[in-house]
Amino acid sequence: QVQLVESGGGLVQAGGSLRLSCAASGSIFRINDMGWYRQGPGKQRELVATIGSSTNYADSVKGRFTISRDNAKNTMYLRMNSLKPEDTAVYYCNAVVRLRSWSSPLTNYWGQGTQVTVSS
């Protein structure tokens, strides 16, 4: 019913920049909070940034990454500047969505993940 499609991942040199996008589609009444998570090699999945009534960032990316959203397009972005090799991970889009109407429950959805690789 809801699809989250990510784009913008790839290979970049340390110090470079990337912009990730996550486009939501389907029978969406309202998207509440959205966020980006990542999972590096041999690591657990961790929160990168969220956006709702306010924004929150992991300490490791604060000052370098910027999360934003375009509600008219149901799209979320993550601008990643000053990338470091430790940012290498699969990045996942997450959205909390209410389907169809106010009577529908809030449901958590995940994207498929997109690989970001930062070379040294």
Coordinates of all heavy atoms in Angstrom, one line a residue, residues 23 56 112:
A23 N 11.2 8.9 -1.9 CA 9.9 9.3 -2.4 C 8.8 8.2 -1.9 O 9.0 7.1 -2.2 CB 9.9 9.4 -3.9
N56 N 16.0 16.0 14.4 CA 17.0 15.4 15.4 C 18.1 14.7 14.6 O 17.8 14.1 13.5 CB 16.3 14.4 16.3 CG 15.3 15.0 17.2 OD1 15.7 15.6 18.2 ND2 14.0 14.9 16.8
Q112 N 14.0 0.1 0.8 CA 14.9 -1.0 0.5 C 16.3 -0.8 0.9 O 17.1 -1.8 1.0 CB 14.8 -1.4 -0.9 CG 15.6 -0.5 -1.9 CD 15.0 0.9 -2.1 OE1 13.9 1.2 -1.7 NE2 15.8 1.7 -2.8

